[in-house]
């Protein structure tokens, strides 16, 4: 299957997809005004060692990782909408508290709440199967979401510098407000989508009744089917018959509600390909997360010149490279398989890690150049990882598979602690050389994926 980037594909996005895109822009933009600077804040405010800062950042993230699978499984059973609202409220509370935290313990507790919200939110907004049925359009939606996140990442820090807010703890209030706006938009969007669905179902019912009256056939069965569809939409928010959703997808969505958790766990335990993929991507995330934590720690403690400008510049560069190259690379990489794309990205990642390892501390543009290479690798890797999971996941277990993929976050969670230990005991150069070595291991793991067994999904029936 090849990627398809065209205006016609964009026009197929439903209203809810555009709300997601706008919401991610405003929330990520405000978030990146301050979150990447937490390592600097903790070091300057509490004089913690690199390992201690890493432990604070990692402890919060590790706890949250083990919530993501449960939360995502629940989304298949009780509906994503309710879980989204609850998670958004948790975000608002967490960021408001984070703006006022003034002790190490307070940071740990509130950052744990933020990380829990993130681990629940990401899979909820990654599985678009219920609003976009066409696989190519769904892939473009995932690419677009990743693109708009990076637009927010680029605009946020630079706007923060201009407003004097970058790196200031109080800026988290802006993130809380942004999530409140997003929840309001989602509430409107879900209600708007439901009204559209009901209208479409009513139109289909009228057409069926007219056809049946003309042919003299009984119409009660069709009417019952439409009524059932409308009832499903109003109670669970399932989009029935929208955006070309096929009858197979409808059946799978209904089936998801009655597949037992025991069966889901059994499927995931038998899917060796998925397990290897998750392990490989955990390592990949561990490498990338060093940019958000350990690289900043290293530059702070080593006394890099113009530190805040350098950090903001790296974040801006990372986002701008992704914005300017994502869809071009998507077209260029379309002729390659997903695994081949990821391996190309990993080779670039190795190059960036070696560059970071040997770049002189005071060479500003050297750091920026290494981030350019790393960002090109990220542009290839990250969206492709989500698409990979999307293609592997059975329709009726999409939420569970994206939830399992949230274990990627273990890489992000362990990165600050692992990176801090390496910085304290071996130094910055070994941190990045370790990243290069782990990238080689990830390339090997991807090369053996096709040889690994998968379960027979037909054996697992709904209860």
């Amino acid at each position: 299957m090849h990627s398809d980037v065209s205006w016609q594909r964009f026009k197929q996005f439903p209203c809810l997809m555009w709300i997601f895109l706008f919401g991610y822009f405003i929330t990520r933009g405000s978030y990146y005004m301050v979150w990447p600077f937490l390592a600097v804040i903790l070091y300057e405010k509490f004089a913690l060692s690199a390992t201690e800062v890493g432990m604070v950042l990692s402890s919060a993230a590790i706890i949250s990782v083990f919530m993501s699978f449960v939360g995502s499984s629940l989304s298949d059973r009780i509906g994503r909408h309710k879980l989204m609202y609850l998670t958004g409220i948790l975000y608002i509370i967490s960021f408001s508290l984070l703006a006022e935290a003034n002790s190490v313990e307070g940071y740990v507790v509130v950052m744990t709440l933020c990380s829990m919200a993130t681990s629940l939110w990401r899979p909820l907004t990654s599985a678009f199967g219920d609003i976009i049925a066409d696989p190519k359009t769904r892939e473009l939606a995932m690419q677009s979401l990743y693109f708009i996140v990076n637009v927010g990442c680029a605009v946020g820090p630079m706007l923060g510098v201009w407003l004097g807010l970058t790196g200031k703890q109080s800026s988290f209030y802006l993130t809380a407000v942004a999530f409140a706006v997003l929840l309001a938009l989602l509430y409107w969007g879900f209600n708007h989508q439901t009204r559209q669905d009901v209208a479409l179902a009513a139109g289909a019912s009228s057409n069926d009744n007219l056809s049946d009256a003309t042919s003299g056939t009984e119409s009660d069965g069709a009417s019952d089917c439409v009524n059932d569809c409308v009832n499903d939409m109003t109670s669970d928010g399932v989009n029935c018959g929208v955006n070309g959703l096929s009858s197979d997808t409808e059946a799978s969505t209904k089936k998801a509600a009655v597949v037992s958790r025991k069966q889901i766990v059994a499927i995931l335990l038998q899917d060796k390909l998925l397990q290897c993929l998750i392990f490989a991507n955990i390592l990949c995330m561990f490498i990338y997360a060093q940019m958000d934590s350990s690289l900043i720690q290293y530059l702070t403690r080593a006394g890099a010149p113009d530190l805040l400008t350098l950090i903001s510049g790296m974040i801006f560069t990372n986002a701008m490279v992704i914005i300017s190259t994502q869809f071009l690379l998507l077209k260029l990489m379309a002729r390659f398989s997903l695994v081949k794309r990821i391996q190309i990205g990993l080779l670039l990642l190795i190059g960036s890690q070696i560059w970071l390892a040997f770049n002189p501390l005071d060479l500003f543009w050297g750091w920026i150049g290494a981030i350019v290479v790393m960002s090109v690798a990220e542009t290839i890797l990250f969206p492709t990882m989500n698409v990979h999971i999307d293609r592997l996941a059975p329709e009726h277990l999409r939420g569970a598979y994206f939830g399992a993929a949230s274990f990627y976050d273990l890489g992000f969670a362990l990165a600050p602690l692992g990176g801090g230990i390496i910085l304290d005991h071996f130094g910055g150069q070994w941190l990045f050389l370790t990243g290069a070595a782990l990238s080689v291991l990830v390339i090997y793991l991807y090369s053996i994926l096709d040889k690994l067994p998968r379960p027979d999904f037909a054996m697992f029936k709904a209860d």
Side-chain angles (χ1 to χ4, degrees):
M1 184 182 296
H2 297 316
S3 301
D4 182 6
V5 181
S6 66
W7 179 243
Q8 291 302 317
R9 289 284 175 197
F10 282 112
K11 288 171 68 176
Q12 292 178 26
F13 286 3
C15 178
L16 271 175
M17 189 64 230
W18 293 110
I19 290 176
F20 278 128
L21 292 174
F22 176 73
Y24 260 82
F25 171 71
I26 60 174
T27 54
R28 294 297 92 180
S30 57
Y31 174 90
Y32 273 91
M33 284 185 187
V34 61
W35 188 271
F37 298 90
L38 275 177
V40 179
I41 293 172
L42 290 170
Y43 172 64
E44 293 181 345
K45 202 169 184 177
F46 305 108
L48 302 179
S49 69
T51 301
E52 289 171 334
V53 170
M55 189 174 297
V56 170
L57 297 174
S58 289
S59 60
I62 289 171
I63 294 171
S64 71
V65 168
F66 294 98
M67 286 195 59
S68 59
F69 178 72
V70 174
S72 299
S73 297
L74 285 175
S75 75
D76 280 335
R77 302 173 69 88
I78 66 173
R80 289 166 57 204
H81 298 181
K82 293 178 183 178
L83 208 52
M84 270 189 205
Y85 292 139
L86 292 174
T87 305
I89 293 170
L90 179 59
Y91 259 134
I92 293 169
I93 294 171
S94 301
F95 285 121
S96 298
L97 292 174
L98 193 54
E100 297 295 334
N102 56 13
S103 67
V104 175
E105 294 79 8
Y107 272 97
V108 171
V109 172
V110 180
M111 288 169 63
T112 299
L113 293 176
C114 289
S115 298
M116 288 166 57
T118 299
S119 66
L120 292 171
W121 184 265
R122 188 176 297 131
L124 289 173
T125 54
S126 295
F128 298 120
D130 62 342
I131 62 173
I132 301 176
D134 182 75
K136 289 185 178 181
T137 305
R138 192 161 62 233
E139 178 176 342
L140 182 60
M142 292 178 182
Q143 297 279 359
S144 300
L145 191 63
Y146 186 66
F147 174 83
I148 206 68
V149 163
N150 284 283
V151 173
C153 294
V155 172
M158 293 297 104
L159 182 61
V161 169
W162 183 61
L163 296 174
L165 297 173
T166 292
K168 290 189 177 180
Q169 188 177 347
S170 58
S171 299
F172 279 121
Y173 279 126
L174 293 177
T175 310
V177 171
F179 268 99
V181 172
L182 176 55
L183 285 185
L185 289 173
L186 284 175
Y187 180 79
W188 176 86
F190 288 142
N191 287 337
H192 175 74
Q193 189 75 54
T194 300
R195 288 194 299 269
Q196 279 191 332
D197 296 348
V198 172
L200 285 172
S205 176
S206 298
N207 291 336
D208 288 344
N209 288 337
L210 180 61
S211 175
D212 291 342
T214 302
S215 60
T217 59
E218 192 75 15
S219 62
D220 291 343
S223 178
D224 290 341
C225 179
V226 171
N227 289 334
D228 289 342
C229 181
V230 174
N231 290 335
D232 285 344
M233 287 184 295
T234 54
S235 61
D236 298 323
V238 177
N239 297 319
C240 187
V242 179
N243 304 315
L245 197 61
S246 67
S247 59
D248 290 341
T249 306
E250 294 171 19
S252 296
T253 304
K254 293 178 182 178
K255 181 179 177 181
V258 292
V259 173
S260 70
R261 183 166 298 174
K262 182 178 179 181
Q263 287 180 319
I264 292 173
V265 172
I267 292 171
L268 296 180
L269 288 176
Q270 291 183 29
D271 199 337
K272 302 304 179 185
L273 187 153
L274 176 68
Q275 294 167 25
C276 182
L277 179 66
I278 289 174
F279 178 62
N281 289 344
I282 286 173
L283 294 178
C284 193
M285 297 303 177
F286 179 89
I287 300 164
Y288 266 104
Q290 303 306 327
M291 176 182 162
D292 294 331
S293 55
S294 302
L295 173 57
I296 293 174
Q297 283 217 69
Y298 169 65
L299 295 173
T300 302
R301 294 167 191 278
D306 301 318
L307 179 63
L308 289 181
T309 302
L310 177 57
I311 294 173
S312 296
M314 290 192 300
I315 297 171
F316 177 78
T317 299
N318 173 250
M320 287 305 298
V321 168
I322 294 170
I323 291 168
S324 60
T325 64
Q326 182 179 351
F327 291 105
L328 173 63
L329 287 172
L330 182 60
K331 277 188 170 293
L332 292 176
M333 293 286 171
R335 60 193 178 93
F336 297 108
S337 68
L338 290 178
V339 171
K340 184 62 68 177
R341 292 184 221 174
I342 290 173
Q343 289 174 335
I344 292 171
L346 288 168
L347 289 174
L348 291 171
L349 181 58
I350 292 171
S352 71
Q353 295 299 296
I354 294 173
W355 188 337
L356 289 170
F358 294 101
N359 189 70
L361 180 65
D362 58 354
L363 186 57
F364 182 96
W365 291 107
W367 297 112
I368 298 298
I371 295 301
V372 168
V373 177
M374 191 173 183
S375 300
V376 173
E378 179 182 343
T379 306
I380 298 171
L381 287 171
F382 279 25
T384 308
M385 289 176 180
N386 274 341
V387 174
H388 202 172
I389 284 291
D390 184 70
R391 293 186 184 176
L392 288 175
E395 288 292 336
H396 63 295
L397 294 172
R398 189 173 300 279
Y401 265 65
F402 273 99
S406 293
F407 282 103
Y408 296 174
D409 288 344
L410 274 175
F412 277 111
L414 295 172
L417 178 59
I421 292 172
I422 295 173
L423 281 178
D424 277 342
H425 293 89
F426 303 102
Q429 188 175 73
W430 277 105
L431 172 68
F432 304 118
L433 290 177
T434 300
L438 290 176
S439 299
V440 174
L441 175 58
V442 176
I443 289 177
Y444 168 74
L445 292 174
Y446 265 94
S447 71
I448 65 172
L449 284 180
D450 290 338
K451 302 174 185 177
L452 299 175
R454 303 202 69 196
D456 181 3
F457 298 107
M459 292 177 59
F460 296 89
K461 305 295 184 182
D463 292 338

